[in-house]
Amino acid sequence: MSEPAAADPSSFGVDEAIERLRLSRMQYGLLAVLLGLVALIAAISFQSSRDVGEQTASLSNYLQTVSGDRVSLERQVVVFALEVERWRDGQLAPEDLELSFGLVERQRRVAMDESETNPRLAAQLANLSADIDEVRGIVDAGPPMPGGEVDERLTALLDEMVLTVGRIFDETEATNFDLLHDLEDGLSSARRTEQLVVGLVVVLFGLLLWSMRRMLTGNYAEASEALAHEQQRYLEARADQARAEELSQIQTEVLELVATDRSQDEVFERIVERTAQYLDGIELRFRPSALPADDGRAGAISMHARGTKAEVGELEWTVGPDTDVPADFDAILAFAGSLGALAIDRQRAADELAHQATHDPLTGLPNRAYFTDKVRWALHRARFEGTRIAVLFIDLDRFKVVNDSFGHDAGDQVLLHAAEVLTSGVRAGDTVARFAGDEFVVLIEDAADLARLHETAERLHAALASPVELDGVSVPMGASIGIAEGDATSTIDELLRHADLAMYRAKEDGRGGYELFDEEMRAWSEDRQATENALRQALERGEFEAHYQPLVDTTTLDIIGFEALARWNRPGHGLVGPAAFVDLAEELGLIGALGRFMLSEAARQVVEWRRVAPDVTVSVNVSGRELANEDFSSFVEQALVVHGTEPSSIVLEITESVLLEDATEIGRRLTQLRELGVHLAIDDFGTGYSSLRYLRELPVDALKIDRVFVSGTEGAEVADPAIVASVIDLGHALGLRVTAEGVESPVQLDALRTLGADVCQGYLFGRPVDVATASSLLRADSFDPIGER
């Protein structure tokens, strides 16, 4: 076949087609605009959340300061007025009055500092200052004559000071209410902003993906059109139209293969097959950059990524003996090389998509799906080779603290640090993956050497325990590691479950360690399963019973009530306390049935006790899940009716943390219960960080101070007297009765009496006892607070 001189490779249209396959500046601009909108919306959301957070923190500090200063000023003025009265009556020397003058003057100056941020207090404080100065003058002049004008003026001044302090209290309360109202508006606005942001991000991200697909599809179409156009020019430039048509057909076929995501090798095979008829005795071979060169090749040309000078491989060829090289050999090489480069580039894009589907986008580590497949193949090899494998399940300790304290960007830094530490701490053949959140896993193949497993775990634990620098702060980290071995009989789910179980055991034994799953742990797991099964049947078999711990009046030491506490009389185990089954009952969805049993028992028993002590009450704990049930108030009402129980004899205790879930809905449920006539108490107060505004609005009757603030060492006073005093003052200011839990010593009882607690509960007065013993305590003429230690 006769051929003209070699044509310019550009006449084949490949370069222009490759140019068309690239995104244009306008298309890149559109994608950048969409990404910018996503980033802007996210920034707006972040700024809104941060502003609300700063406002909340500032308000909390302000309220704490103002509350303490206000109460201190009020108390000091009252004390001052009483001591002036004693001085006037001759019961107190003038020099003894100087301390009260000094204290009330110090509290007044503190309040004056506050008036700089609350101008409405300035006038009242000025009046208070004038009254104090005038009283000072009268005292300096000596005791006034009883009934005289100075004596009457002194009485009026003291009354006016107390009234002025009350007005200062009212002004402060009004200011606090306004600030809380503004904060609530800010929180509502932030919530609406977050909802809007999520919707916009989803829409914009979908639009981004759709736009990219449309652009790429359009670019491939334009590339095909450009090739068709250049093909026509090539046909006109060639003398042999048949050969030109066949070469153009090759272009179309190859582009179709590329556009339909065919493999790189399939594209190479088609190019070689279709060009072989023009290169008799010449063999072409495409070599990507990752493969070694052919030592016996006759020559090679470089292949470049589209639109760049980056080399992606070479097109090699060998020439047989007595082979004539065609005149347009260079053109055919350029043609084939350009199409081969396009196939390699397309394969790289496909590989990148596959990598994203099997790897974590943050750390670049394999993800859960990839790791699961890796374990499956490792088990398959173990069955044939008789080897063992091991899986390490790693959970970072204190990661939530980092996220909450430093933000999610800092959390990402910690995850990247952990990924680097784990990758560098294992062998090259081991696989490290990010499982979920702050959980990582490591697959170790050929794990017959148990000592090496321990050595690896020790090494990883030590490396993860090193502090991480976050915003210039050295933050200590750590990890809990669970290890599970597997062989030919193991399954993927079994290995992961055992490693996860060992990790949780490591956490229970103390964070920052590692545990190897063994038969003892298997027995523990089986025992837990047996406990679950037994717990499901315990209510039906009547194995639960109520025990009662006395509640004692702090002043008289009379028993005024009991708290009903569940005990499980489990066959073969004896009497089991709530720590062994309450969390499990919550997890299994049995807490509602258990709570109803306890409420029914309390309602029945208090009727009998009220025949002996007409005012005695019984308290029953109510879980968040019970309170969330729409039928709970109806059940309470039914229990009261069935047993003929006076509603005021029942106290329902709700843990403070429940108030954080949905204060509005919880308030509605509590109102329904309060309308039945039962009393309501907030249990474990001081640990849930509930809003004081919500506390004022909720229909509760009592607060129970959590034992962590009361119980101390043997013979010590309360653990945290400042918090206990604040809670007691707060409860009394809101008209609530305050109970102190965890009272264990007479010293603590004396301290709580001084602080003003109304009711005490703890081992000093007795542990929870059965109903017969509780009845005996109630019938006793006196109560000796020795308690069982």
Side-chain angles (χ1 to χ4, degrees):
M1 181 182 298
S2 60
E3 295 292 345
D8 188 321
S10 64
S11 64
F12 289 90
V14 176
D15 290 339
E16 184 177 351
I18 292 175
E19 184 65 23
R20 296 292 180 90
L21 287 172
R22 298 169 54 194
L23 295 178
S24 66
R25 291 184 179 179
M26 181 180 297
Q27 290 169 336
Y28 274 119
L30 175 60
L31 296 180
V33 169
L34 290 176
L35 286 173
L37 286 175
V38 172
L40 177 61
I41 292 171
I44 292 173
S45 172
F46 173 79
Q47 185 63 39
S48 174
S49 300
R50 187 173 67 177
D51 291 344
V52 171
E54 292 175 353
Q55 182 181 358
T56 303
S58 176
L59 178 57
S60 174
N61 293 333
Y62 172 77
L63 290 179
Q64 290 177 12
T65 303
V66 169
S67 176
D69 293 343
R70 181 198 65 209
V71 172
S72 298
L73 178 61
E74 183 179 15
R75 286 180 175 176
Q76 195 58 52
V77 168
V78 171
V79 171
F80 173 75
L82 291 175
E83 292 194 352
V84 171
E85 290 284 354
R86 291 178 60 199
W87 168 80
R88 181 176 61 185
D89 295 337
Q91 299 176 7
L92 190 70
E95 55 271 22
D96 294 334
L97 196 58
E98 285 301 315
L99 177 60
S100 287
F101 268 113
L103 291 176
V104 77
E105 180 62 18
R106 184 177 66 83
Q107 293 299 332
R108 183 190 66 80
R109 286 197 298 271
V110 172
M112 287 298 291
D113 293 339
E114 179 193 343
S115 68
E116 295 179 4
T117 59
N118 189 353
R120 290 187 294 181
L121 298 179
Q124 301 298 338
L125 289 170
N127 293 337
L128 180 62
S129 299
D131 291 345
I132 293 173
D133 294 338
E134 190 171 350
V135 170
R136 162 70 83 173
I138 293 174
V139 170
D140 291 341
M145 180 178 296
E149 180 178 352
V150 175
D151 184 70
E152 292 178 354
R153 178 56 182 166
L154 178 60
T155 300
L157 286 172
L158 295 176
D159 292 341
E160 180 61 23
M161 288 172 63
V162 174
L163 291 175
T164 302
V165 170
R167 286 191 289 271
I168 292 173
F169 178 92
D170 293 339
E171 289 289 348
T172 305
E173 284 295 293
T175 302
N176 293 349
F177 181 81
D178 292 341
L179 291 173
L180 288 169
H181 188 270
D182 293 341
L183 178 60
E184 183 178 18
D185 291 342
L187 290 172
S188 298
S189 175
R191 189 179 297 110
R192 290 192 298 270
T193 301
E194 291 288 344
Q195 293 171 349
L196 177 61
V197 165
V198 170
L200 287 175
V201 168
V202 170
V203 171
L204 288 174
F205 191 75
L207 180 60
L208 178 63
L209 293 178
W210 178 82
S211 299
M212 290 184 67
R213 183 173 181 84
R214 287 294 302 271
M215 289 176 186
L216 291 174
T217 303
N219 289 355
Y220 275 115
E222 290 180 6
S224 297
E225 292 177 2
L227 284 173
H229 177 69
E230 292 299 321
Q231 160 190 316
Q232 185 61 36
R233 290 175 53 194
Y234 176 76
L235 290 174
E236 294 174 356
R238 304 284 296 184
D240 190 340
Q241 294 297 321
R243 181 169 182 177
E245 290 174 0
E246 290 183 7
L247 288 176
S248 65
Q249 182 62 32
I250 295 174
Q251 295 172 354
T252 303
E253 290 177 13
V254 171
L255 283 176
E256 287 177 354
L257 292 177
V258 172
T260 53
D261 298 339
R262 298 298 181 87
S263 70
Q264 170 182 287
D265 291 339
E266 187 176 353
V267 176
F268 290 165
E269 183 179 352
R270 180 64 61 87
I271 296 173
V272 171
E273 176 188 341
R274 299 290 278 118
T275 57
Q277 56 185 306
Y278 312 114
L279 301 173
D280 188 25
I282 300 176
E283 181 181 350
L284 298 182
R285 178 176 176 269
F286 292 93
R287 184 189 66 82
S289 298
L291 298 179
D294 185 358
D295 294 336
R297 67 188 186 183
I301 62 169
S302 297
M303 296 183 293
H304 299 89
R306 59 191 185 199
T308 71
K309 295 183 179 180
E311 184 176 320
V312 297
E314 290 183 331
L315 173 59
E316 305 173 331
W317 67 86
T318 57
V319 180
D322 302 327
T323 298
D324 294 329
V325 177
D328 58 353
F329 180 60
D330 291 341
I332 294 176
L333 288 178
F335 164 73
S338 298
L339 291 178
L342 184 61
I344 293 175
D345 205 25
R346 182 64 184 83
Q347 184 67 45
R348 286 187 171 184
D351 291 343
E352 179 63 25
L353 290 175
H355 183 274
Q356 292 175 4
T358 57
H359 288 71
D360 174 48
L362 174 65
T363 62
L365 294 177
N367 58 17
R368 185 185 192 124
Y370 182 95
F371 184 81
T372 302
D373 285 340
K374 190 77 173 179
V375 174
R376 180 180 293 108
W377 282 107
L379 288 173
H380 182 71
R381 284 192 297 272
R383 293 187 183 100
F384 283 95
E385 299 173 5
T387 58
R388 297 178 63 82
I389 69 171
V391 171
L392 278 62
F393 202 106
I394 303 161
D395 183 84
L396 301 183
D397 296 332
R398 295 179 292 275
F399 181 72
K400 184 177 184 301
V401 175
V402 171
N403 264 344
D404 294 343
S405 303
F406 295 92
H408 290 283
D409 288 342
D412 288 346
Q413 292 180 39
V414 171
L415 293 174
L416 289 169
H417 169 75
E420 182 180 352
V421 166
L422 292 173
T423 303
S424 60
V426 298
R427 298 179 308 177
D430 299 333
T431 302
V432 179
R434 183 185 176 193
F435 213 56
D438 61 339
E439 296 175 343
F440 295 84
V441 283
V442 178
L443 170 63
I444 298 178
E445 301 187 51
D446 190 16
D449 187 355
L450 188 60
R452 192 176 66 80
L453 279 180
H454 284 281
E455 179 185 344
T456 301
E458 286 278 8
R459 184 169 60 252
L460 296 180
H461 161 246
L464 290 171
S466 60
V468 180
E469 291 292 329
L470 299 174
D471 297 336
V473 179
S474 182
V475 179
M477 295 300 298
S480 299
I481 304 174
I483 309 171
E485 290 186 285
D487 54 21
T489 63
S490 303
T491 66
I492 298 173
D493 291 340
E494 183 181 61
L495 270 174
L496 292 175
R497 185 173 65 254
H498 289 173
D500 187 43
L501 186 63
M503 183 273 294
Y504 276 107
R505 174 59 65 89
K507 278 189 178 293
E508 290 181 0
D509 293 343
R511 290 180 175 178
Y514 68 91
E515 289 285 342
L516 176 66
F517 183 86
D518 53 19
E519 289 305 316
E520 180 183 350
M521 205 172 297
R522 186 191 302 275
W524 177 81
S525 177
E526 292 173 353
D527 181 66
R528 174 183 168 88
Q529 185 62 47
T531 302
E532 289 184 10
N533 296 334
L535 187 59
R536 294 181 190 276
Q537 304 173 27
L539 282 168
E540 298 177 3
R541 296 175 176 175
E543 296 174 2
F544 283 100
E545 58 185 62
H547 280 213
Y548 300 90
Q549 186 174 28
L551 299 169
V552 178
D553 184 282
T554 306
T555 303
T556 66
L557 298 184
D558 292 333
I559 296 178
I560 62 173
F562 293 91
E563 180 179 357
L565 299 166
R567 294 294 184 269
W568 181 11
N569 196 354
R570 184 180 178 187
H573 293 76
L575 208 60
V576 179
F581 61 82
V582 168
D583 290 342
L584 188 57
E586 184 90 31
E587 180 182 332
L588 298 177
L590 302 176
I591 196 66
L594 179 58
R596 293 187 177 198
F597 165 78
M598 292 297 297
L599 179 60
S600 181
E601 285 292 293
R604 179 185 59 79
Q605 186 59 45
V606 76
V607 172
E608 178 181 337
W609 282 340
R610 281 215 161 189
R611 298 190 185 101
V612 179
D615 295 326
V616 73
T617 62
V618 175
S619 302
V620 183
N621 292 289
V622 178
S623 71
R625 183 169 295 185
E626 290 180 273
L627 197 61
N629 192 328
E630 286 283 357
D631 299 330
F632 182 67
S633 60
S634 299
F635 174 79
V636 174
E637 183 178 14
Q638 180 183 2
L640 296 174
V641 172
V642 167
H643 297 291
T645 308
E646 175 65 32
S648 61
S649 66
I650 296 295
V651 180
L652 301 180
E653 296 186 1
I654 296 92
T655 303
E656 184 192 10
S657 58
V658 174
L659 305 181
L660 301 178
E661 297 177 5
D662 186 344
T664 302
E665 182 62 20
I666 294 298
R668 185 178 69 84
R669 299 289 172 83
L670 294 182
T671 299
Q672 291 176 349
L673 295 170
R674 194 67 182 85
E675 290 173 351
L676 296 177
V678 300
H679 292 295
L680 302 173
I682 303 300
D683 196 13
D684 300 334
F685 188 80
T687 61
Y689 311 105
S690 60
S691 169
L692 295 182
R693 182 174 68 85
Y694 291 147
L695 189 60
R696 292 179 58 187
E697 297 174 355
L698 293 175
V700 297
D701 305 283
L703 297 179
K704 297 189 72 175
I705 305 173
D706 190 84
R707 63 179 294 112
V708 71
F709 302 117
V710 176
S711 299
T713 57
E714 182 71 23
E717 293 189 357
V718 293
D720 200 326
I723 292 180
V724 173
S726 298
V727 173
I728 292 174
D729 289 344
L730 172 64
H732 290 168
L734 296 175
L736 306 178
R737 186 175 63 180
V738 180
T739 299
E741 297 181 297
V743 182
E744 299 177 351
S745 68
V747 175
Q748 292 171 356
L749 175 61
D750 291 340
L752 291 168
R753 280 174 170 167
T754 302
L755 294 173
D758 302 301
V759 181
C760 286
Q761 177 183 1
Y763 291 168
L764 178 64
F765 310 102
R767 295 176 182 270
V769 294
D770 58 29
V771 64
T773 306
S775 299
S776 299
L777 291 175
L778 191 61
R779 292 187 176 93
D781 293 334
S782 61
F783 183 72
D784 183 13
I786 297 176
E788 180 185 352
R789 300 303 177 101

